[in-house]
Amino acid sequence: MSVASEEIEELRNADNVGTLARAYVAKLRGGDVGSLPAILGLVVLVIVFSALRPDTFTKAFNFGNLIQQSAGVTIIAMGLVFVLLLGEIDLSAGYTGGTAAGVMSVALTTHDWPVLPAILVGLATGAVIGAGIGLLVSRLGIPSFVVTLATFLGLQGVLLSLIGERGSIDSGEFVAKLNSDNLPVWLGWAIAIVFVVLYAASTFLRNQRRRRNGLTNEPNLLWALKAGSLAVIAFLVVFYLSIERSPNANIKSIKGVPISLLIILGLAVVLTALLSRTRWGSHVYAVGGNAEAARRAGINVAMIKLSCFVISSTIAGIGGIMLASYSGGVNNNTGGSTILLYAVGAAVIGGTSLFGGKGRVVDAVIGGTVVAVIANGMGLLNQPDSRKYIVTGLVLLVAASVDAISRRRAASTGRV
């Protein structure tokens, strides 16, 4: 019996925490570390910055600000997961987001379009860019590195043409609120409760269905631990964000869950369901694991690649809109500078493999939080940008090394 089969059998029979812990340790020793390194790194970073800046880093105001600062990069990273799962790369994702936001802003402010059509045309711009990249990669066989590098350069020119001589375009009041406003306190609590109940119910029913069909399923104890942990984290976050965090509440009150957090979580749920609950999602993992084997199994590899690039660029469009919302408009640097590097770094740091076939959307959320905490914490310590880049680069190198080592370990234990 293989190592993986032994773990599956042990999980089926798990009826106490000790058994679950042993199965999890065996999984780690087999090379499947998932997001654990990123989570441990995040805990260490929070402890260090909390100790060095207890008067600012741990404040609710900084917590809310950190979420809004990281929203654009995290969302672009969520889209990049789809491309990385194939073992490909998209170097143009940042400027795809900037161009999509630029088109939306032109429609809003120059042509006075209503908000919804303007946002949709921005997202359609991202989808068209992704379709062009996907066709060149999947049909002509041009390496994605070359195609997206050329697209990266070209879109900088497109963005400059869009913003014109003024150097920036206003994105309007509605867009500005997406990454600066907060939900009413009661609505934040209501969404958290509904989210936890839906997660617990859907995963419980799925486990029951798989058990009836004789398929691999989670023990009830593991399900309860996951659902309970999610409830604790969700309610603590909502509680902390619901307290008054304005430096001067008499002038302006700031409390409630940021709208940007709701957008991130909503995208995470939808995209996770797309990857884990659909046949298309299983085909993405199959192509990323071994494209030739997937082709021989009858999977349309070219179509899978094309669709992943379309989704990645469309999500990048949403990320670009959030970047424009945070900065108050679109300029020649929207989606540029370190945005792409941070987004790729976020996906990899969170646990998505650069070699394809392994990764989850939630990895990008965890990795994006790590990147944001580094930038935020070092900023509060008044460290220069040079040191921020060095630390972030070192963290990315560690993440890539963990990925390479875990894949080697997984291969030696028969997991891949």
Side-chain angles (χ1 to χ4, degrees):
M1 182 180 289
S2 68
V3 174
S5 300
E6 290 175 357
E7 290 168 13
I8 291 171
E9 189 63 29
E10 189 170 9
L11 269 176
R12 279 178 176 168
N13 300 325
D15 57 358
N16 57 62
V17 176
T19 306
L20 288 177
R22 286 195 297 276
Y24 185 65
V25 171
K27 182 180 170 184
L28 295 178
R29 293 177 64 184
D32 189 2
V33 296
S35 299
L36 182 63
I39 294 173
L40 293 178
L42 182 60
V43 171
V44 171
L45 287 169
V46 170
I47 292 174
V48 169
F49 289 132
S50 298
L52 296 176
R53 278 289 182 270
D55 54 333
T56 50
F57 184 77
T58 56
K59 295 294 184 184
F61 176 79
N62 188 52
F63 186 40
N65 192 37
L66 191 149
I67 293 171
Q68 293 167 338
Q69 282 178 336
S70 64
V73 168
T74 300
I75 290 173
I76 292 175
M78 291 162 74
L80 281 170
V81 167
F82 287 81
V83 174
L84 293 174
L85 280 174
L86 301 175
E88 305 283 357
I89 188 69
D90 184 358
L91 299 177
S92 64
Y95 273 114
T96 296
T99 304
V103 170
M104 175 202 68
S105 298
V106 168
L108 273 173
T109 58
T110 305
H111 300 289
D112 293 325
W113 281 29
V115 171
L116 183 58
I119 291 177
L120 290 178
V121 79
L123 299 184
T125 301
V128 169
I129 293 171
I133 296 172
L135 283 172
L136 291 172
V137 172
S138 63
R139 300 297 179 183
L140 296 186
I142 304 175
S144 57
F145 178 85
V146 177
V147 175
T148 57
L149 178 61
T151 309
F152 168 85
L153 296 171
L155 289 179
Q156 289 187 64
V158 173
L159 184 57
L160 287 173
S161 300
L162 285 171
I163 62 177
E165 297 180 355
R166 290 175 297 175
S168 64
I169 310 176
D170 182 39
S171 297
E173 184 179 356
F174 179 85
V175 174
K177 288 183 177 179
L178 291 177
N179 204 8
S180 62
D181 218 341
N182 303 293
L183 298 172
V185 172
W186 68 267
L187 186 56
W189 279 109
I191 290 174
I193 292 170
V194 170
F195 178 67
V196 170
V197 170
L198 285 180
Y199 172 82
S202 63
T203 51
F204 181 80
L205 292 175
R206 184 185 62 173
N207 282 337
Q208 294 297 317
R209 185 171 62 252
R210 293 182 66 86
R211 195 165 296 150
R212 283 196 301 271
N213 293 328
L215 301 174
T216 305
N217 58 84
E218 287 182 344
N220 287 335
L221 179 59
L222 180 59
W223 165 81
L225 288 173
K226 284 185 175 181
S229 300
L230 177 66
V232 170
I233 293 172
F235 295 155
L236 280 177
V237 168
V238 173
F239 170 77
Y240 201 47
L241 291 171
S242 297
I243 62 178
E244 181 60 63
R245 57 180 188 272
S246 172
N248 193 338
N250 293 325
I251 297 176
K252 182 181 180 182
S253 176
I254 303 176
K255 57 184 177 180
V257 175
I259 295 175
S260 52
L261 181 58
L262 180 64
I263 294 173
I264 290 172
L265 293 180
L267 282 172
V269 170
V270 172
L271 297 178
T272 297
L274 192 60
L275 277 177
S276 62
R277 301 293 181 88
T278 66
R279 177 174 295 182
W280 177 86
S282 62
H283 287 178
V284 172
Y285 284 102
V287 172
N290 189 324
E292 179 58 24
R295 187 187 66 78
R296 290 174 183 269
I299 296 174
N300 189 336
V301 174
M303 185 56 68
I304 292 295
K305 288 187 175 182
L306 172 61
S307 57
C308 281
F309 275 103
V310 170
I311 291 175
S312 176
S313 295
T314 305
I315 301 302
I318 300 175
I321 292 172
M322 297 303 286
L323 290 173
S325 173
Y326 186 74
S327 61
V330 178
N331 56 52
N332 61 350
N333 208 30
T334 302
S337 186
T338 57
I339 295 296
L340 172 72
L341 300 178
Y342 279 172
V344 174
V348 176
I349 290 171
T352 302
S353 176
L354 284 168
F355 302 97
K358 191 183 78 172
R360 302 171 301 168
V361 174
V362 73
D363 293 342
V365 179
I366 297 171
T369 307
V370 172
V371 171
V373 166
I374 293 173
N376 181 274
M378 297 198 70
L380 293 175
L381 291 173
N382 297 318
Q383 295 296 310
D385 287 342
S386 56
R387 292 182 185 172
K388 294 180 191 174
Y389 296 148
I390 291 172
V391 172
T392 307
L394 287 175
V395 172
L396 179 56
L397 269 181
V398 171
S401 300
V402 169
D403 176 36
I405 294 171
S406 64
R407 285 185 67 87
R408 187 178 301 175
R409 179 67 181 167
S412 66
T413 56
R415 282 181 171 275
V416 294

